[in-house]
Amino acid sequence: MRQAVILGLCFGVLGAMMVAPPLSGQSGEIVMISYAGPSQEPHRFYLVEPFQQAHPGLTVRLVPDEAGEYVARVQAALAASRPSPVDLAPNGEPPHLRLIGLGLLERTNTDLVPNLKLAYQAFVEKSQGYGVPATYSLIGIAYNSQKVTKVPTSWKDLWDPAYRGKVGLTSSSSNLGLGFLVAAAKMNGGDEANLEPAWQAIRSLQPFVIAPNPTALAQLFEREEIVIAPLWSTDAAVLASKGLPIKFVKPQPGAIAIVSFLSIIKGSQFTQIAHELLNRVLSEEYQSKAAAKPYFFGPTNVKVAVPPEAADYIPTTLNEIRRLQTVNWPVIVPVRAAIVERWNREFAR
Amino acid sequence: MNVELRGVTKRFGETTAIDDISYAVPAKRLVTLLGPSGCGKTTLLRLVAGFAAPDTGDVLLGGEVITHVPSNQRQIGMVFQNYALFPHMTVERNVSFGLRMRHAPASLVARRTEETLDLVGLRGLRDRYPHQLSGGQQQRAALARALAIQPRVLLLDEPFGALDRKLRLQMQVDVKKIIRQLGITTVFVTHDQEEAFTMSDLIAVMNAGRIVQSGAPMEIYDKPKDSFVADFVGGSNFIPVEVAEVAQDGLNLRHGTVVFAVPWAADMLVGQRAVLVVRPENLRLVQAGQGSGGLAATVTFVRPIGPLLEFEVETATGMRLKVASVRARDALPFSLGDAARVELADPQACTVFAV
Amino acid sequence: MRSPRVGTWHQAELAAPAVVFLIIFLAIPLLLLFAFGLVDIRAARVVPGSWTLEHYARILGDPFYYRIFLRTFWMGLGATIFCLLFGYPVAYLFTRVGPAARQVLLVLILAPLLTNAVVRTFGWMIILGGQKGLINALLLRVGLIDEPVRILYTMSGVLIGLTQIQLPFMILPVIAALEGQDRSLQEAAAGLGATWAQTFFHVVVPLSMPGVLTGSALVFVISYTNFAVPALLGGGSFAVIPTFIFEQISALLQWNNGAVLSSLLLGTAMVMLWLFNRASARLLRWTR
Ligand SMILES: Nc1ncnc2c1ncn2[C@@H]1O[C@H](COP(=O)(O)OP(=O)(O)OP(=O)(O)O)[C@@H](O)[C@H]1O
Ligand SMILES: [Mg+2]
């Protein structure tokens, strides 16, 4: 009899745990996806902290996730009619488009984001009405200036036999990998719709080191596992700020610029208040801090000037901005799964 | 081959397990170490086998000092108290183990294993694992394994301890026969005196790490050197006495008002205190009313064990004595609570120790 | 004495909560997992009435996955062999030393279970990573190599990591088996003329087989299905099934592929365990 009671209690508690809504919804905790490592600092210091001061009782938890691992969790929660476990997330253009397609982003209520008027309209257009263009970063070449004596100028320099086995890449499931794939295609006479030349070229780049994500790729520089790699300008800047001999170049015919949109996730219980975070991310205050040393995130606010020491990482002149390569993401995004599969079949070891 | 210990001492921390023992086991004889639990019997075997090294003294085998020869080079066969058969090997593999480890030629291994299995009667069970054997069969397998290496000396540590009484008696006879047939020097350990008598050419009685007496079994029984041996081997009654008279051809010993006359001289003084040691079978119960002399007593326990009758009586002087007699058919002359007199049956067969 | 019937009933009653727990939290999820491979899943939602064998057929018909399963198998086997090679001597040492040394050894043995994943990952980076890694520094210093070898992001690195965290699962059962051994068996062997090595290989090792087999089964299964280590130390595109499942679900939202691969991973692990158990039973005929 007593056993039955205890058993009943156990199941009661378990049941309650499963049925009860997640505690985060009630305690006022907003969950926001962020970058890993030091790149997370602008979010923490210049976005979350001022926000929390303005709203005592509300906390924002930053969760590092560079590979969009949260998406599956959101999808699963929505499928089970539960609130999303994630409220906001920054996404580069490719996943931004993908998430719009999957219906996982909340449309932006422009009334609640007055700072949108200060953003470059070209970037705002790219957002397709979801989220706000928070920053942009470049994909260029990072290299160890002690091991690489000839300053690279073009993507082609990655294929220099001198660096064989010391080239780092990330798989094409990351934006970095995807961007590099497109760059390699264009350089070899292909384009977004014809990636075959890229596959050929990357095959001839073997053996190279494949990092699971951009942060890990940056770590490989630290440990001197690699001497040269396509990398985010922001990650290269952080490495350099640590005193490592890492330099960043915007290669010919041009670095690839990818805008990062901060968006509210479907199923969030904080859609209203989260808009304030979208507004804050566009503020001059945040934008200027994120564009400053050592992060060098490209500012999307027209009023924020690029600091001079950022010249290595962010285009400063109109000419430079013109030379930036953009990718026709709407062509790439629908076939992303196939690209990843191809990558695995080609290079998975 | 003879085994000899010279001034051997072995300590474990505070306990002295072997206390300065010097003793020689003659070649081709079976010597039994007899002693109570914890007296150092196993330790002594382990010193001979080389599983432990003495703190002082030497172990000799065939006149050669082997104190520091590792056990795997001594060629001494040992049967352990718990058999220590290799559980993961069949009987055959167990028996052939020693030969195989010595890299004996396959044909020799096969032949010797066969012979040894035959010797102990385990031929039919060669493919069984130890856990598929009865206690007696395990015992035989352990013996066969020790014999297969043709040991120079055989050591048996309470080999029958785990067997039931009937099987134990059978195994005693079987093993004794095998050993005699092989003519192998054997040291046998037991704390069971009957077993010692059945098996031994010689008995060495141990107590507290020392060998207190050694000799032929009957000699030990009839002429115990001290009261420990008298008590441990065969059991005895200890009657406290005072020397009443010392004569040329005997002693008169007084216990209370009763005087026992023993017909042999001893180096004792009148008035000295002593104990008269009497085996139970050397005491006789007589009806209280008949004859005279002896100790008045009451029967406090009767134990009819087959051919024998054992009584426990309490004398008027408050002493408990054991009395044993051959049981006459159908007769149970004394029963519980009967009054009786206790007499010496054969004064010749008593021993006196001064105290 | 209680009749066997009553005894059984009481046992069943005692086991009931555990059985219910297992059904709710193990059996049902497993069946669901298997079933998820047999329906179409879109946006994490099962498409009603879409029973199909297509997903299993697609994966089972693709030699690419066979290669990855094989690699996963080698990873598990390699970790098991290394754990045995390194773990056995440690377990043996443990049974030979005094109580004080045992305490120290036990802490060392259990340490991998006590450190958290972040610390461990950081440690691995320092030990395995690049020219500055401890292993490379050591090999260079000793002169075994002239140039740093790549360990991080290779199968070797993964095996080193797996071995390190899986060691306790090998060492502990082996210690148990060695501790249970009757010391007099080793004396018996020596008395019969066996050298130390002969005693070790003919008596000590065979008698510890129950522990070795238990440890091996544990380490194999945990390694075969391990995600964290290949994900951290294998680098991007390190192709073993657990990392593949993760990519399929989290990066590609291919729930069907994930479900099929998960079921196959689990199924193959169970089949291998079963085969292993049958083989062990033959090897351990001598136990009761
Ligand atoms: N390894 C050891 N460490 C400490 N003390 C020991 C050890 N081996 C034996 N002793 C002690 O030495 C004494 C003799 O032990 P031993 O085993 O030789 O007795 P035994 O005569 O064989 O007894 P039993 O008839 O019970 O087998 C005992 O007091 C025992 O406690
Ligand atoms: Mg003993």
Side-chain angles (χ1 to χ4, degrees):
Chain A
M1 181 56 212
R2 183 186 292 171
Q3 277 173 1
V5 172
I6 293 173
L7 206 68
L9 271 177
C10 289
F11 282 119
V13 170
L14 277 172
M17 275 163 58
M18 287 190 287
V19 176
L23 289 173
S24 66
Q26 290 164 341
S27 71
E29 187 186 63
I30 299 172
V31 177
M32 177 174 156
I33 299 299
S34 181
Y35 310 108
S39 304
Q40 191 187 94
E41 287 170 13
H43 277 163
R44 183 146 28 103
F45 298 143
Y46 311 119
L47 183 64
V48 169
E49 277 186 8
F51 175 83
Q52 285 179 343
Q53 265 161 27
H55 301 277
L58 272 182
T59 52
V60 179
R61 183 155 60 93
L62 293 177
V63 177
D65 177 351
E66 294 186 304
E69 288 161 16
Y70 71 92
V71 177
R73 285 189 288 129
V74 171
Q75 214 179 33
L78 296 187
S81 308
R82 276 184 280 125
S84 166
V86 170
D87 298 297
L88 293 120
N91 291 296
E93 281 171 86
H96 186 73
L97 294 177
R98 194 161 66 101
L99 294 190
I100 292 172
L102 291 170
L104 294 182
L105 298 186
E106 198 67 62
R107 268 194 175 279
T108 306
N109 180 346
T110 48
D111 295 343
L112 297 176
V113 189
N115 284 342
L116 259 181
K117 288 189 224 51
L118 303 177
Y120 287 106
Q121 283 316 295
F123 291 159
V124 176
E125 274 163 31
K126 279 176 185 278
S127 76
Q128 301 192 2
Y130 296 88
V132 297
T135 54
Y136 70 92
S137 310
L138 303 187
I139 296 174
I141 295 176
Y143 64 98
N144 182 329
S145 60
Q146 282 173 0
K147 310 270 173 181
V148 174
T149 41
K150 215 171 73 200
V151 176
T153 55
S154 147
W155 289 113
K156 281 215 158 56
D157 290 329
L158 288 172
W159 276 260
D160 188 326
Y163 315 137
R164 267 184 77 83
K166 296 270 180 191
V167 180
L169 297 180
T170 55
S171 104
S172 48
S173 62
S174 69
N175 297 338
L176 178 64
L178 221 44
F180 174 68
L181 190 73
V182 173
K186 289 185 172 170
M187 184 185 69
N188 291 289
D191 58 24
E192 286 88 343
N194 174 21
L195 293 171
E196 200 51 42
W199 295 117
Q200 303 283 346
I202 294 177
R203 214 179 290 148
S204 72
L205 191 53
Q206 282 177 308
F208 46 76
V209 186
I210 308 173
N213 54 58
T215 305
L217 188 61
Q219 272 177 2
L220 292 183
F221 273 111
E222 277 182 65
R223 308 222 51 93
E224 295 182 12
E225 286 271 356
I226 55 172
V227 299
I228 190 163
L231 197 67
W232 289 110
S233 52
T234 44
D235 287 326
V238 168
L239 285 176
S241 78
K242 288 190 197 167
L244 293 165
I246 304 301
K247 294 230 159 74
F248 182 80
V249 291
K250 296 163 223 156
Q252 297 301 331
I256 297 169
I258 295 188
V259 182
S260 173
F261 302 96
L262 183 63
S263 308
I264 300 165
I265 304 296
K266 256 279 169 24
S268 163
Q269 312 228 291
F270 295 98
T271 41
Q272 196 77 10
I273 197 83
H275 274 86
E276 189 182 325
L277 284 164
L278 300 190
N279 197 46
R280 277 174 185 269
V281 92
L282 290 172
S283 69
E284 272 176 77
E285 185 201 359
Y286 176 85
Q287 292 275 320
S288 55
K289 296 285 193 193
K293 197 176 171 187
Y295 316 112
F296 301 129
F297 279 104
T300 53
N301 184 319
V302 292
K303 290 201 167 165
V304 174
V306 174
E309 72 262 35
D312 283 346
Y313 304 100
I314 308 175
T316 41
T317 65
L318 203 59
N319 220 354
E320 241 188 321
I321 294 176
R322 284 217 185 90
R323 279 222 315 277
L324 286 181
Q325 300 226 332
T326 51
V327 174
N328 190 359
W329 292 116
V331 175
I332 294 287
V333 169
V335 294
R336 176 171 165 275
I339 291 175
V340 174
E341 169 136 14
R342 172 82 186 260
W343 173 278
N344 282 334
R345 283 176 195 259
E346 294 268 359
F347 305 117
R349 293 155 304 117
Chain B
M1 204 165 284
N2 64 321
V3 178
E4 192 182 342
L5 302 180
R6 280 194 194 149
V8 169
T9 298
K10 177 70 180 175
R11 290 189 195 86
F12 294 107
E14 294 289 288
T15 37
T16 304
I18 299 293
D19 189 1
D20 190 25
I21 287 183
S22 292
Y23 184 68
V25 178
K28 305 203 173 190
R29 296 300 189 80
L30 193 157
V31 173
T32 294
L33 298 177
L34 179 63
S37 188
C39 70
K41 305 181 297 287
T42 297
T43 307
L44 197 150
L45 285 197
R46 291 170 53 79
L47 291 175
V48 174
F51 301 144
D55 296 323
T56 58
D58 277 314
V59 180
L60 288 84
L61 182 60
E64 187 190 334
V65 176
I66 57 161
T67 317
H68 300 293
V69 174
S71 54
N72 62 343
Q73 286 163 29
R74 291 193 183 188
Q75 205 176 346
I76 290 177
M78 177 143 172
V79 175
F80 288 77
Q81 213 162 347
N82 61 354
Y83 311 144
L85 287 169
F86 303 124
H88 60 299
M89 296 182 200
T90 59
V91 169
E92 180 180 352
R93 302 282 291 172
N94 263 285
V95 172
S96 63
F97 183 84
L99 295 165
R100 286 186 285 120
M101 293 305 111
R102 281 149 208 262
H103 305 293
S107 59
L108 177 71
V109 173
R111 186 164 49 81
R112 186 86 64 68
T113 305
E114 196 88 348
E115 285 169 8
T116 317
L117 285 171
D118 278 345
L119 189 67
V120 299
L122 280 184
R123 183 191 255 275
L125 304 179
R126 59 196 309 159
D127 292 326
R128 297 241 187 127
Y129 286 99
H131 77 267
Q132 299 168 319
L133 298 177
S134 73
Q137 289 162 345
Q138 289 184 22
Q139 213 287 311
R140 286 166 200 269
L143 181 66
R145 185 178 68 177
L147 290 175
I149 61 168
Q150 296 197 324
R152 301 192 283 181
V153 176
L154 182 63
L155 307 175
L156 303 163
D157 191 359
E158 299 199 33
F160 312 127
L163 307 180
D164 64 56
R165 186 179 157 79
K166 188 152 175 269
L167 188 55
R168 185 160 63 223
L169 296 178
Q170 181 59 46
M171 288 299 295
Q172 286 168 4
V173 176
D174 289 357
V175 170
K176 171 81 197 202
K177 281 183 185 162
I178 289 170
I179 291 171
R180 193 184 290 150
Q181 183 185 337
L182 297 175
I184 186 171
T185 310
T186 304
V187 183
F188 182 91
V189 160
T190 185
H191 53 236
D192 176 344
Q193 48 125 349
E194 264 182 55
E195 190 166 288
F197 286 142
T198 312
M199 304 286 294
S200 326
D201 298 324
L202 292 168
I203 290 180
V205 181
M206 285 185 71
N207 186 28
R210 293 173 161 276
I211 292 180
V212 287
Q213 184 176 3
S214 66
M218 285 311 122
E219 186 187 328
I220 303 264
Y221 190 81
D222 292 341
K223 298 203 177 65
K225 223 181 215 167
D226 63 13
S227 51
F228 170 79
V229 179
D231 189 31
F232 190 75
V233 182
S236 289
N237 293 300
F238 295 84
I239 304 173
V241 291
E242 196 182 295
V243 179
E245 197 185 335
V246 183
Q248 194 108 72
D249 56 350
L251 296 166
N252 279 350
L253 304 167
R254 191 172 61 222
H255 173 81
T257 56
V258 182
V259 174
F260 297 102
V262 293
W264 26 262
D267 188 13
M268 289 192 161
L269 303 172
V270 173
Q272 194 179 349
R273 295 181 159 278
V275 279
L276 178 64
V277 181
V278 192
R279 297 280 181 198
E281 67 271 19
N282 197 18
L283 285 177
R284 193 166 53 206
L285 280 190
V286 187
Q287 299 285 337
Q290 293 175 11
S292 63
L295 297 155
T298 315
V299 177
T300 55
F301 199 84
V302 184
R303 190 190 288 140
I305 40 172
L308 287 183
L309 271 178
E310 271 185 23
F311 299 98
E312 241 175 65
V313 300
E314 189 166 332
T315 65
T317 52
M319 218 178 7
R320 281 164 190 272
L321 296 177
K322 277 199 203 98
V323 182
S325 65
V326 177
R327 186 166 68 94
R329 189 132 190 225
D330 298 332
L332 200 63
F334 294 91
S335 46
L336 208 63
D338 283 358
R341 275 189 311 107
V342 183
E343 287 180 347
L344 277 186
D346 177 6
Q348 186 84 42
C350 301
T351 325
V352 182
F353 296 120
V355 286
Chain C
M1 231 178 81
R2 199 185 266 162
S3 79
R5 182 176 271 274
V6 173
T8 320
W9 167 237
H10 272 255
Q11 280 156 17
E13 200 177 52
L14 279 178
V19 170
V20 172
F21 185 88
L22 282 180
I23 290 176
I24 293 183
F25 291 102
L26 193 70
I28 293 178
L30 284 184
L31 283 176
L32 278 177
L33 184 66
F34 180 71
F36 282 154
L38 295 172
V39 290
D40 287 330
I41 306 175
R42 300 233 174 81
R45 239 184 278 258
V46 174
V47 180
S50 61
W51 294 101
T52 173
L53 285 172
E54 181 211 326
H55 306 299
Y56 275 97
R58 183 178 65 245
I59 284 176
L60 288 174
D62 189 340
F64 177 66
Y65 289 104
Y66 285 92
R67 280 207 299 280
I68 298 180
F69 265 106
L70 206 62
R71 264 179 74 78
T72 314
F73 173 79
W74 290 126
M75 177 176 81
L77 191 67
T80 309
I81 289 172
F82 282 121
C83 278
L84 191 55
L85 247 49
F86 293 114
Y88 200 98
V90 176
Y92 185 74
L93 184 72
F94 182 88
T95 61
R96 296 277 130 170
V97 296
R102 277 181 177 220
Q103 300 261 306
V104 176
L105 261 180
L106 194 66
V107 171
L108 289 178
I109 291 167
L110 294 179
L113 297 179
L114 305 176
T115 53
N116 88 0
V118 177
V119 173
R120 203 152 57 202
T121 313
F122 191 69
W124 279 330
M125 284 291 163
I126 291 175
I127 293 167
L128 307 178
Q131 314 228 341
K132 297 173 177 169
L134 278 182
I135 291 188
N136 264 326
L138 197 78
L139 291 177
L140 283 169
R141 174 74 59 86
V142 176
L144 272 173
I145 50 173
D146 314 321
E147 243 184 63
V149 287
R150 185 182 313 294
I151 305 168
L152 199 64
Y153 294 174
T154 64
M155 185 58 112
S156 317
V158 172
L159 286 180
I160 290 173
L162 281 174
T163 303
Q164 192 234 325
I165 60 169
Q166 243 76 279
L167 261 179
F169 299 109
M170 181 64 85
I171 293 178
L172 295 178
V174 174
I175 285 181
L178 288 172
E179 287 278 86
Q181 260 179 44
D182 183 354
R183 281 293 162 84
S184 60
L185 294 177
Q186 291 169 45
E187 288 177 350
L192 290 166
T195 60
W196 181 88
Q198 284 177 321
T199 303
F200 184 76
F201 288 109
H202 287 94
V203 176
V204 177
V205 170
L207 285 177
S208 64
M209 280 318 270
V212 168
L213 294 174
T214 307
S216 301
L218 264 175
V219 171
F220 177 81
V221 173
I222 307 176
S223 304
Y224 182 68
T225 56
N226 191 294
F227 165 73
V229 175
L232 288 169
L233 296 180
S237 308
F238 185 83
V240 287
I241 296 299
T243 55
F244 237 72
I245 293 170
F246 180 78
E247 188 179 71
Q248 290 294 319
I249 291 179
S250 89
L252 301 177
L253 303 179
Q254 302 277 0
W255 296 84
N256 281 124
N257 284 355
V260 171
L261 288 173
S262 300
S263 303
L264 290 177
L265 184 71
L266 214 78
T268 47
M270 283 178 173
V271 168
M272 281 187 276
L273 260 191
W274 179 72
L275 289 173
F276 186 82
N277 268 345
R278 285 192 42 155
S280 326
R282 287 186 63 85
L283 223 64
L284 297 181
R285 257 174 318 170
W286 53 271
T287 55
R288 257 147 261 233

